[in-house]
Amino acid sequence: RKEVEQDPGPFNVPEGATVAFNCTYSNSASQSFFWYRQDCRKEPKLLMSVYSSGNEDGRFTAQLNRASQYISLLIRDSKLSDSATYLCVVNPGGGNKLTFGTGTQLKVEL
Amino acid sequence: GAGVSQSPRYKVAKRGQDVALRCDPISGHVSLFWYQQALGQGPEFLTYFQNEAQLDKSGLPSDRFFAERPEGSVSTLKIQRTQQEDSAVYLCASSLANPGLAKYNEQFFGPGTRLTVL
């Protein structure tokens, strides 16, 4: 079983739609959780950290469920510029080494 | 300001050749990481430096892979006797502070070196 699992997609949605991505992780001792965004042939960039209480940044909302070892990302009012691969990322603890999922591809269409 | 830079951006090697990939982290960043990203996959951790000390090399796939950061700034990832399965994008990331001082410090990634082994 992979340490971080995501549905690879692609998710094709119309502009303005709401879309949600989910991710599960296997290491119950994991300490920190993140969503990274990666555009085609570019480097990953931090989108947002994920906190147990849930956190929101504009159109983006992230949730963490430690009991179920489950992380989610919700994107509201999606824009064409949101088209990218969204990587679920876990810091298993100690040294800031990151464990990435395979990524979920989002395509926002007119 | 300058971000993480990597060179070369693209490298084509014949099977069996040795290659060296360079990473220039953000000035002042203590921590430096190397990741390998195969096509259609997420990045996978290779190794981690804190200043010049290599504290974790658990992700290096074989003894053909070697990394160094002798002066605590620039780092080089060397792959000896390259094989086709080494073809991937090699990403370098740096972060500001000692991990022991904060729960997490954001990692800033370079553009990567795309290695193709023929």
Side-chain angles (χ1 to χ4, degrees), chain A residues 3-53:
Chain A
E3 290 186 60
V4 179
E5 295 207 50
Q6 296 181 251
D7 179 345
F11 284 58
N12 298 311
V13 302
E15 205 174 13
T18 295
V19 61
F21 306 137
N22 303 317
C23 162
T24 57
Y25 61 95
S26 61
N27 184 349
S28 60
S30 296
Q31 298 184 2
S32 309
F33 310 88
F34 313 92
W35 284 100
Y36 272 68
R37 170 189 170 134
Q38 187 170 28
D39 292 286
C40 187
R41 303 179 80 86
K42 298 285 189 180
E43 70 272 23
K45 292 184 179 177
L46 179 64
L47 177 66
M48 59 196 305
S49 301
V50 187
Y51 305 118
S52 297
S53 55

